[in-house]
Amino acid sequence: MTERSWRQDPLRRERIAEAALEVIVKYGVAGTTYRKVAAQAAVPLSAVSYYFSSLNALLFAAFNQLSRHISDQFSALISRARTQQEAIDAVVTIIFGDATSSSRTLLLSYELYAFASRHPQLKPVMLEWMTRSRSALEHHFSPTAAVAIDAFIEGMMIHRSVMPVVPEQVANAIRQLASL
């Protein structure tokens, strides 16, 4: 991509943030650099520094983009449910589906949590993500159950990355949490 064409790309900032996520998948946050992101995005190094004044600004944008993407998919699955049982089925899909629990998403989530724990200024991104998830769940579950189910989703996604769990077990646990 020539310098002229990257300047005309209206989505270049988002593309660079997405490239940062790919670099994080390959190298972790600790191994992420402007150079690696520029190479992944196929843009000049100057384009990365033009849009992001610091590596932290780039990481914040990338993780914000990740959280919105996952949250949008989560909300879409839950919003299609018309009954509580359909909502339970949607939660099972979230936990077992590729879009929200792929190895890429899990790895990026681990990196996000570790990065956020060291950079409290990322807390609003995490809070918005959790608020959106809980809000979607509250269409079908009580506020107390929504908090428990939201925490269960995150915990179960981590759990099943290490130990096999079957969807029926997860559905039964969600039914129990739904009664809160």
Short mmCIF file of all heavy atoms in Angstrom, two decimals, residues 4 8 14 27 30 43 45 61 67 89 100-103 108 116-117 131 136 141-142 159 163 169:
data_model
loop_
_atom_site.label_atom_id
_atom_site.label_comp_id
_atom_site.label_asym_id
_atom_site.label_seq_id
_atom_site.Cartn_x
_atom_site.Cartn_y
_atom_site.Cartn_z
N ARG A 4 0.25 7.35 -0.21
CA ARG A 4 -0.95 8.07 -0.64
C ARG A 4 -2.22 7.25 -0.37
O ARG A 4 -3.21 7.78 0.12
CB ARG A 4 -0.83 8.42 -2.12
CG ARG A 4 -2.00 9.20 -2.66
CD ARG A 4 -1.70 9.66 -4.10
NE ARG A 4 -2.86 10.13 -4.77
CZ ARG A 4 -3.39 11.33 -4.62
NH1 ARG A 4 -2.87 12.17 -3.78
NH2 ARG A 4 -4.46 11.68 -5.31
N GLN A 8 -5.67 7.72 2.32
CA GLN A 8 -7.04 7.78 1.82
C GLN A 8 -7.92 6.68 2.39
O GLN A 8 -9.11 6.66 2.14
CB GLN A 8 -7.04 7.70 0.29
CG GLN A 8 -6.37 8.89 -0.35
CD GLN A 8 -6.21 8.72 -1.85
OE1 GLN A 8 -6.46 7.66 -2.41
NE2 GLN A 8 -5.78 9.78 -2.52
N GLU A 14 -8.60 1.80 12.43
CA GLU A 14 -9.15 0.53 12.89
C GLU A 14 -8.33 -0.65 12.37
O GLU A 14 -8.14 -1.63 13.08
CB GLU A 14 -10.61 0.38 12.45
CG GLU A 14 -11.56 1.34 13.14
CD GLU A 14 -11.55 2.76 12.59
OE1 GLU A 14 -10.96 3.01 11.50
OE2 GLU A 14 -12.12 3.65 13.25
N TYR A 27 2.82 -12.40 19.65
CA TYR A 27 3.96 -12.06 20.50
C TYR A 27 3.59 -11.65 21.93
O TYR A 27 4.48 -11.41 22.73
CB TYR A 27 4.77 -10.91 19.88
CG TYR A 27 5.25 -11.20 18.49
CD1 TYR A 27 4.58 -10.69 17.37
CD2 TYR A 27 6.36 -12.01 18.27
CE1 TYR A 27 5.03 -10.95 16.09
CE2 TYR A 27 6.81 -12.28 16.99
CZ TYR A 27 6.14 -11.75 15.91
OH TYR A 27 6.57 -12.03 14.63
N ALA A 30 3.80 -7.85 25.66
CA ALA A 30 5.20 -7.52 25.90
C ALA A 30 6.03 -7.50 24.62
O ALA A 30 7.00 -6.74 24.52
CB ALA A 30 5.81 -8.50 26.90
N VAL A 43 1.41 -0.99 6.54
CA VAL A 43 1.46 0.48 6.45
C VAL A 43 2.84 0.93 6.88
O VAL A 43 3.56 0.21 7.58
CB VAL A 43 0.38 1.16 7.35
CG1 VAL A 43 -1.02 0.77 6.92
CG2 VAL A 43 0.61 0.87 8.82
N LEU A 45 5.69 2.70 9.04
CA LEU A 45 5.84 2.89 10.48
C LEU A 45 5.28 4.25 10.91
O LEU A 45 4.64 4.37 11.96
CB LEU A 45 7.32 2.76 10.87
CG LEU A 45 7.67 2.86 12.33
CD1 LEU A 45 6.94 1.80 13.15
CD2 LEU A 45 9.18 2.73 12.51
N ALA A 61 -6.53 1.25 22.17
CA ALA A 61 -7.45 1.23 21.02
C ALA A 61 -7.71 -0.20 20.56
O ALA A 61 -8.85 -0.56 20.25
CB ALA A 61 -6.86 2.05 19.88
N SER A 67 -12.96 -5.53 22.70
CA SER A 67 -14.07 -5.63 23.64
C SER A 67 -15.40 -5.27 22.97
O SER A 67 -16.41 -5.92 23.22
CB SER A 67 -13.83 -4.76 24.88
OG SER A 67 -13.93 -3.40 24.57
N ASP A 89 -29.71 -21.10 25.93
CA ASP A 89 -29.07 -21.69 24.76
C ASP A 89 -28.06 -20.72 24.13
O ASP A 89 -26.98 -21.14 23.69
CB ASP A 89 -30.11 -22.10 23.72
CG ASP A 89 -31.03 -23.22 24.20
OD1 ASP A 89 -30.67 -23.93 25.16
OD2 ASP A 89 -32.13 -23.37 23.60
N THR A 100 -16.78 -16.20 20.01
CA THR A 100 -16.51 -15.61 21.31
C THR A 100 -15.54 -16.41 22.17
O THR A 100 -15.01 -15.88 23.14
CB THR A 100 -17.83 -15.42 22.09
OG1 THR A 100 -18.55 -16.65 22.08
CG2 THR A 100 -18.67 -14.32 21.50
N SER A 101 -15.30 -17.66 21.84
CA SER A 101 -14.41 -18.45 22.69
C SER A 101 -13.35 -19.21 21.90
O SER A 101 -12.87 -20.25 22.34
CB SER A 101 -15.23 -19.42 23.55
OG SER A 101 -15.85 -20.38 22.74
N SER A 102 -12.98 -18.67 20.75
CA SER A 102 -11.91 -19.29 19.97
C SER A 102 -10.60 -19.15 20.75
O SER A 102 -10.49 -18.33 21.67
CB SER A 102 -11.78 -18.61 18.62
OG SER A 102 -11.33 -17.27 18.80
N SER A 103 -9.62 -19.91 20.37
CA SER A 103 -8.32 -19.80 21.06
C SER A 103 -7.75 -18.39 20.89
O SER A 103 -7.14 -17.85 21.82
CB SER A 103 -7.35 -20.86 20.55
OG SER A 103 -7.16 -20.74 19.17
N LEU A 108 -6.37 -13.35 23.51
CA LEU A 108 -6.47 -11.89 23.60
C LEU A 108 -7.13 -11.46 24.90
O LEU A 108 -6.74 -10.44 25.49
CB LEU A 108 -7.24 -11.34 22.39
CG LEU A 108 -6.46 -11.34 21.08
CD1 LEU A 108 -7.39 -11.03 19.91
CD2 LEU A 108 -5.30 -10.36 21.13
N ALA A 116 -4.81 -4.83 31.59
CA ALA A 116 -5.70 -3.95 32.35
C ALA A 116 -5.35 -3.94 33.83
O ALA A 116 -5.49 -2.91 34.49
CB ALA A 116 -7.15 -4.36 32.15
N SER A 117 -4.88 -5.06 34.36
CA SER A 117 -4.53 -5.09 35.78
C SER A 117 -3.30 -4.23 36.05
O SER A 117 -3.13 -3.75 37.17
CB SER A 117 -4.29 -6.53 36.24
OG SER A 117 -3.10 -7.04 35.70
N THR A 131 -20.68 -4.03 31.49
CA THR A 131 -22.00 -3.39 31.57
C THR A 131 -22.86 -3.80 30.39
O THR A 131 -24.05 -4.11 30.55
CB THR A 131 -21.84 -1.86 31.64
OG1 THR A 131 -21.07 -1.53 32.80
CG2 THR A 131 -23.19 -1.16 31.69
N ALA A 136 -27.42 -6.93 28.40
CA ALA A 136 -28.02 -7.89 27.46
C ALA A 136 -28.63 -9.06 28.23
O ALA A 136 -29.75 -9.50 27.92
CB ALA A 136 -26.96 -8.39 26.47
N PHE A 141 -32.86 -12.36 32.45
CA PHE A 141 -32.53 -12.83 33.80
C PHE A 141 -32.58 -11.64 34.77
O PHE A 141 -32.42 -10.50 34.36
CB PHE A 141 -31.13 -13.45 33.83
CG PHE A 141 -30.92 -14.53 32.81
CD1 PHE A 141 -30.23 -14.29 31.64
CD2 PHE A 141 -31.44 -15.81 33.01
CE1 PHE A 141 -30.03 -15.28 30.68
CE2 PHE A 141 -31.25 -16.82 32.07
CZ PHE A 141 -30.54 -16.55 30.90
N SER A 142 -32.77 -11.95 36.04
CA SER A 142 -32.76 -10.89 37.06
C SER A 142 -31.37 -10.25 37.10
O SER A 142 -30.38 -10.87 36.66
CB SER A 142 -33.09 -11.48 38.43
OG SER A 142 -31.98 -12.24 38.91
N HIS A 159 -12.05 -21.96 32.00
CA HIS A 159 -12.06 -23.34 32.50
C HIS A 159 -12.01 -24.34 31.35
O HIS A 159 -11.21 -25.28 31.36
CB HIS A 159 -13.31 -23.56 33.36
CG HIS A 159 -13.38 -24.88 34.04
ND1 HIS A 159 -12.74 -25.12 35.23
CD2 HIS A 159 -14.00 -26.03 33.69
CE1 HIS A 159 -12.97 -26.38 35.59
NE2 HIS A 159 -13.74 -26.94 34.67
N MET A 163 -9.89 -27.72 30.67
CA MET A 163 -10.57 -28.98 30.98
C MET A 163 -11.86 -29.10 30.15
O MET A 163 -12.65 -28.17 30.10
CB MET A 163 -10.92 -29.01 32.47
CG MET A 163 -11.73 -30.22 32.89
SD MET A 163 -12.03 -30.19 34.65
CE MET A 163 -10.64 -31.15 35.18
N GLN A 169 -23.79 -29.75 30.72
CA GLN A 169 -23.39 -29.33 32.07
C GLN A 169 -23.49 -27.82 32.21
O GLN A 169 -23.96 -27.32 33.24
CB GLN A 169 -21.94 -29.76 32.36
CG GLN A 169 -21.72 -31.24 32.49
CD GLN A 169 -20.24 -31.57 32.57
OE1 GLN A 169 -19.44 -31.07 31.80
NE2 GLN A 169 -19.90 -32.42 33.54
#
